[in-house]
Amino acid sequence: MHETHTRVFTVAKITKIDLLNDIQSSLEDAYKKGQSFEAWQENIKPVLAKKGWLGDVSVTNPQTGEAKQIYVGSRRLKRIFETNMRVSFARARYESQMSSPFEYFRYVAILDRRTRASHAKLHGLILPKTHKFWEKNYPPNDWGCRCQVQVLTQSEMQSYGFKPYAGTPLNVASEDWAYNPGKSAQS
């Protein structure tokens, strides 16, 4: 499942290739332009309406043939937009960080009331950037996760008084997110 997500563009409940292509190209355009959700939504809604994928929609599971009613509105579109922007940003960050001379990754959680306790516990965790932990826990690690990774050199570690984590850190990524989008894409 995770490898598929890094090679093929998917959106839950969409099986029509032309609709997926429309959403994918609109998201790529929004990413390149640095568009807000509101601007993207304004552009994509007419396309979705024309193709019958806005408002109350009947979708069919291609494996079971089961039909299901879903509602496609701003809330669902926001989830699609934010998820794809976070994954794209994480992929670009990871590729840049791996090609840099920095040796360590430091887990950085946004420490506010919306942060999951398990993610907050990882805040400040430092491991070599090649550590196996990052294969499944390079953020985002769940729906709406805002965590990131900071890169550090050995000399920065010494100047800040940081030390790499010596134990085995717990995996925090949910089942849907237990992969590293940047690393998987390079494999």
Side-chain angles (χ1 to χ4, degrees):
M1 172 180 77
H2 298 132
E3 288 179 28
T4 301
H5 279 289
T6 61
R7 286 180 288 140
V8 180
F9 180 79
T10 62
V11 174
K13 311 282 189 276
I14 298 180
T15 57
K16 296 178 182 175
I17 298 298
D18 63 325
L19 188 54
L20 279 170
N21 287 337
D22 290 338
I23 293 173
Q24 182 180 25
S25 63
S26 72
L27 286 166
E28 287 172 356
D29 191 47
Y31 181 78
K32 289 175 188 169
K33 292 179 179 176
Q35 248 178 7
S36 68
F37 164 69
E38 290 76 17
W40 174 78
Q41 178 180 234
E42 186 178 316
N43 291 331
I44 196 66
K45 270 188 166 182
V47 174
L48 299 178
K50 184 178 177 183
K51 297 201 175 180
W53 207 75
L54 192 63
D56 288 315
V57 177
S58 178
V59 294
T60 304
N61 182 326
Q63 294 172 335
T64 65
E66 176 189 1
K68 182 178 182 181
Q69 283 295 120
I70 64 168
Y71 183 78
V72 179
S74 292
R75 186 173 173 184
R76 183 175 189 83
L77 293 177
K78 188 167 184 95
R79 167 77 47 103
I80 291 168
F81 180 83
E82 288 181 351
T83 299
N84 281 280
M85 290 301 135
R86 284 189 177 116
V87 168
S88 295
F89 183 70
R91 180 174 287 140
R93 262 181 88 83
Y94 181 79
E95 289 172 1
S96 171
Q97 291 169 336
M98 289 306 289
S99 64
S100 76
F102 298 91
E103 299 113 324
Y104 293 93
F105 282 171
R106 179 174 178 257
Y107 196 98
V108 180
I110 307 298
L111 299 175
D112 62 15
R113 62 179 179 78
R114 296 185 335 182
T115 305
R116 291 169 180 85
S118 59
H119 296 204
K121 285 180 186 175
L122 286 184
H123 181 73
L125 173 87
I126 299 171
L127 293 166
K129 69 181 183 182
T130 56
H131 194 282
K132 208 169 170 69
F133 172 79
W134 302 115
E135 290 177 18
K136 291 188 176 181
N137 294 279
Y138 188 93
N141 288 312
D142 210 334
W143 299 104
C145 174
R146 298 168 293 141
C147 299
Q148 293 184 3
V149 166
Q150 173 188 24
V151 289
L152 297 165
T153 63
Q154 182 66 43
S155 62
E156 286 175 319
M157 295 269 291
Q158 290 170 344
S159 70
Y160 292 129
F162 290 161
K163 293 192 184 328
Y165 186 74
T168 304
L170 295 175
N171 290 326
V172 296
S174 71
E175 185 180 341
D176 290 342
W177 291 90
Y179 72 105
N180 177 326
K183 182 171 177 126
S184 297
Q186 293 175 346
S187 302

